[in-house]
Amino acid sequence: MTARVRAPQLRGRGWLNTGGKDLTLADLRGRIVILDFWTFCCINCLHVLDELRPLEERYGDVLAVIGVHSPKFEHEKDPDALAAAVERYGVAHPVLDDPELQMWQQYAARAWPTLVVIDPEGYVVATMAGEGHADGLARLIDELITTHEAKGTLHRGEGPYVPPAEAVTPLRFPGKAIAYGDGFLVSDSARHSIVELAGDGETVRRRIGTGDRGRGDGPASVAAFAEPQGLCLLPEHTAEIAGYDLVVADTVNHLLRGVKLSTGEVTTVAGSGHPWRSTVDDHAHDALAADLSSPWDLAWYDDRMIIAMAGIHQLWWFDPVKRTVGMYAGTTVESLRDGPLEQVWMAQPSGLSVSADGQQLWIADSETSAVRYVADGQMHTAVGQGLFDFGHVDGPAGEALLQHPLGVCALPDGSVLIADTYNGALRRFDPATDEVTTVADGLAEPSDVVLAADGGVLVVESAGHRLTRLAPGTLTAAGISVDGTRHRTERPATEIAAGPLTLDVIFTPAPGRKLDATFGPATRLEVSASPPELLLDGAGTGTDLSRALRVNPDVPAGVLQVTAQAATCDADTEHGACHLARQDWGVPVLISADGATRLPLILRGLDA
């Protein structure tokens, strides 16, 4: 019999969404508790927030979801930034601020996101890593309800969530903006709508969408979005054929929406509405049947719409005439690697802009704190050093550092403006000099930069709920020279020994499911390393979820990149549904004489 594990007490810097009360596990006794270890930069964490919403509604009288915010970036340690993120993403449960990752370590979390289920008596009953757990969680919650109602240890009633006061501003966490006529179109992300502003960047001309989270086509007054981000106007001839002018990245709905601007009519033009969980291919797919994953920005390049598919670390393309979509760049591995488009690694591409001559597609690759570009079928990194390196440092591009940039804007002179979001700065990269400079700082989470019709530059200050026009001459001034602190993520590295290392990916199918080999091997494991020299043996792809690796004793540290998937189907059902569990890890490792010789990772499912 396995000993039951008592859940560690909840401690942190403070609480949000509790009305000022500090919660303890004793306060939650009698309820089923889900601890959601997240960080607001992480797209997979944002997916989990949306997966939890239906469970919170369905089991509201017995379930308490507690967000434990365990940050990756320096900016995410700012309590005001966390409070803004909780509002921005509509988090409707209590959140514990864990800036030093104390709870993360006590609950042995290894990945963002991690979910821990605690029963009504205060014992840990399951741990899950990654996203896609809604069905398994529902089954587990049903089992816990049955067990603890019978024992008399389940208490029904109101949960501990206390909603904050609603703010009143014309825009609320705007995401992206584009010039339109003599004004602008802005994705008003937290108000779930598209807003047309006058040329002053402030006066609201009209709003497209109800302003409430939802999914629905139709006239501007009834259409609904969910945290929309990127916007892109179609070329005139293409718009005539397609029947709409504007494409919207409807991020949380995993859709592209078309808007006919003359009437405000909204139509779904790509996406099934289900998040992508499949295998990578280079085929064209019917646009409305394809699964997308958190499309974050859009740009017209290479005679088609390019999609920054933040949720799976890729770029996709969309053809509005043929009504097809497909993969454009990336393997879904979350890291930084240049080269041919089908082989590159990215990490949450979140901003796109095309050079004035149409030759380069510039990319804000947010989780690698990088600016990258596509030219001649290859991807290159202009600024950025890796998944865990960030800061605010100007100078030669090879040494400069950014912190989670979300937007880029290619200027007519060939330089690129960067919305350096977590540094609160507007940066500039000049390919002619290969230098990075700071143009302006003190901005409130800038998420995009837009070039106005009159030549002026406006910054979308997302956490400031506004568009801010740069003063004339700002771009030609000397700017600010910043030589700030260089950071590496403070997520603790896993100490491993040089030589033989066994990698075990642990997968337990969700209740009611079994492994399914109907269409080939049920499992797949891909392993690589950064730097590649870290692994002397064991890199590559296979079907076994256990892999013998050999670690190079001459490489002191690095990152193991692991991608695992498992196919399952509903058990004991004649025509059971099929499911694909998939998880990517970037595991920082430190070579140590006393390090581990086995590295276990949990692939979705349940680990009791």
Side-chain angles (χ1 to χ4, degrees), residues 247-529:
V247 180
V248 179
D250 192 6
T251 304
V252 172
N253 280 327
H254 308 292
L255 300 173
L256 300 186
R257 316 292 291 281
V259 181
K260 189 174 182 63
L261 290 171
S262 61
T263 64
E265 187 80 14
V266 176
T267 307
T268 298
V269 298
S272 66
H274 302 292
W276 184 95
R277 294 192 182 98
S278 186
T279 54
V280 177
D281 65 49
D282 59 359
H283 307 312
H285 298 269
D286 176 79
L288 289 174
D291 297 339
L292 308 182
S293 184
S294 296
W296 206 277
D297 205 6
L298 306 165
W300 188 262
Y301 176 72
D302 199 15
D303 293 324
R304 47 192 166 173
M305 186 76 67
I306 302 298
I307 310 164
M309 203 74 79
I312 48 175
H313 320 298
Q314 289 184 311
L315 303 181
W316 280 35
W317 57 263
F318 166 56
D319 187 329
V321 175
K322 295 181 179 179
R323 301 176 183 176
T324 51
V325 297
M327 189 274 291
Y328 185 72
T331 66
T332 75
V333 172
E334 183 182 13
S335 192
L336 191 153
R337 183 174 76 181
D338 293 336
L341 296 181
E342 69 278 5
Q343 298 177 16
V344 300
W345 296 343
M346 289 178 282
Q348 283 179 225
S350 301
L352 301 175
S353 183
V354 179
S355 61
D357 61 7
Q359 298 301 303
Q360 292 92 32
L361 173 67
W362 291 92
I363 306 154
D365 200 30
S366 63
E367 279 292 285
T368 55
S369 296
V371 170
R372 309 173 74 180
Y373 65 96
V374 171
D376 301 320
Q378 300 269 327
M379 184 174 291
H380 312 266
T381 297
V383 186
Q385 299 177 19
L387 193 60
F388 301 105
D389 297 277
F390 58 93
H392 190 167
V393 178
D394 288 334
E399 301 174 12
L401 291 173
L402 311 169
Q403 187 179 182
H404 198 79
L406 289 178
V408 284
C409 178
L411 296 177
D413 67 359
S415 66
V416 181
L417 293 177
I418 307 161
D420 191 6
T421 309
Y422 286 1
N423 280 327
L426 181 65
R427 313 285 290 281
R428 185 177 192 169
F429 168 64
D430 188 348
T433 63
D434 199 38
E435 293 277 326
V436 175
T437 56
T438 297
V439 176
D441 61 4
L443 302 171
E445 292 192 9
S447 57
D448 202 12
V449 188
V450 59
L451 193 62
D454 61 7
V457 173
L458 287 87
V459 179
V460 180
E461 287 195 79
S462 187
H465 318 294
R466 60 181 176 259
L467 271 61
T468 301
R469 183 179 288 267
L470 295 186
T474 300
L475 293 183
T476 56
I480 309 160
S481 180
V482 176
D483 186 13
T485 305
R486 297 174 179 269
H487 296 283
R488 283 186 62 82
T489 181
E490 294 185 11
R491 173 183 169 185
T494 298
E495 293 191 9
I496 60 174
L501 173 70
T502 300
L503 172 66
D504 285 324
V505 175
I506 301 165
F507 178 74
T508 304
R513 294 182 188 173
K514 64 181 180 180
L515 286 171
D516 179 21
T518 304
F519 302 102
T523 58
R524 183 175 184 271
L525 178 65
E526 181 179 352
V527 180
S528 58

Side-chain angles (χ1 to χ4, degrees), residues 6-7 64 88 106 249 254 271 300 310 403 493 504-505 561 583 588 603:
R6 175 70 70 176
R88 180 198 305 268
Q106 286 201 32
H254 308 292
W300 188 262
Q403 187 179 182
D504 285 324
V505 175
Q561 276 110 10
Q583 177 69 16
L603 169 64

Side-chain angles (χ1 to χ4, degrees), residues 11-24:
R11 295 184 177 89
R13 180 168 58 184
W15 287 86
L16 294 88
N17 287 350
T18 63
K21 179 181 178 180
D22 290 349
L23 296 179
T24 67

Side-chain angles (χ1 to χ4, degrees), residues 569-570 572-578:
C569 63
D570 293 341
D572 304 322
T573 303
E574 185 176 357
H575 301 291
C578 297

